[in-house]
Amino acid sequence: MPAQILKGTAMSLQMLGNALLALALIGWIGYRQTTWRPIALATMWRTPLIMGVIGVVLLARSASPEALSPLDLAVLVGELIISLGIGAWMGRLAHFRPLTTPRPVSRDGNTVATFESRTGAWGLVLWFLVLAVRIGIDALASMAGSHVATSAGVILLMLAANRAARTFIFAQRIAALPASATVSR
């Protein structure tokens, strides 16, 4: 009996940890949608890379590849495609403006940003759309029997895909700006 209580407590702590991680990411990315941020493509690529690696590790720990059902794979691929599409849309909505004073964006100060960007209210709306799609697919997939769809690893992979698509479109648009947005000294 005590082992079952400890097991139940461990599951609750894991669920609480997942919920806190999700809330922290939602708030952090939502805040960044509405504020002007200096453009630093290297930093923008770092976030989806870190989230993707952690997502793959968590997914590998929660389910072996043999345990994935066709439904699990369909849910994962479907969510990744939707996240990529919404991320690309967010990248297209972004506004750019030149900085009055170039701002260092690297720790060593060798790289400075000359433009800043934000996606604004529509970016925030799309961010909430990502979350709504995630919750909807999660609920439907769980009812259909997918056990992987609810894992924190899948959540992080979906968010990483969204951020990567947004950054890819940013990079394309920045390359088309009259002056380079990020300059190395």
Side-chain angles (χ1 to χ4, degrees):
M1 186 69 155
Q4 289 178 342
I5 292 172
L6 288 176
K7 186 176 179 181
T9 303
M11 287 299 291
S12 296
L13 289 176
Q14 182 181 5
M15 290 176 65
L16 179 63
N18 289 344
L20 290 175
L21 175 65
L23 285 175
L25 280 172
I26 290 167
W28 179 64
I29 294 174
Y31 168 75
R32 292 173 65 98
Q33 298 297 318
T34 57
T35 56
W36 288 100
R37 316 262 326 150
I39 297 172
L41 285 176
T43 303
M44 292 175 71
W45 282 114
R46 190 179 325 140
T47 302
L49 180 65
I50 292 169
M51 285 193 293
V53 168
I54 294 172
V56 167
V57 169
L58 289 176
L59 187 59
R61 286 180 53 195
S62 67
S64 66
E66 300 84 30
L68 295 176
S69 69
L71 176 62
D72 291 327
L73 293 175
V75 168
L76 183 60
V77 170
E79 283 196 51
L80 287 175
I81 290 171
I82 291 170
S83 292
L84 288 169
I86 294 175
W89 193 359
M90 293 167 105
R92 292 296 308 157
L93 285 176
H95 301 281
F96 300 104
R97 71 180 182 189
L99 286 165
T100 54
T101 306
R103 187 180 310 171
V105 289
S106 62
R107 289 186 180 154
D108 59 8
N110 287 335
T111 304
V112 295
T114 56
F115 281 84
E116 60 186 354
S117 70
R118 72 175 180 177
T119 52
W122 282 111
L124 190 60
V125 168
L126 288 176
W127 176 238
F128 285 117
L129 178 62
V130 168
L131 299 175
V133 166
R134 169 66 192 148
I135 292 169
I137 289 176
D138 186 13
L140 292 174
S142 293
M143 286 190 298
S146 175
H147 303 292
V148 175
T150 60
S151 76
V154 172
I155 293 170
L156 286 174
L157 285 176
M158 185 196 76
L159 296 177
N162 177 273
R163 299 287 88 190
R166 177 180 168 265
T167 301
F168 177 78
I169 297 299
F170 255 60
Q172 303 301 311
R173 293 184 63 201
I174 288 168
L177 289 175
S180 179
T182 306
V183 179
S184 295
R185 292 181 182 169

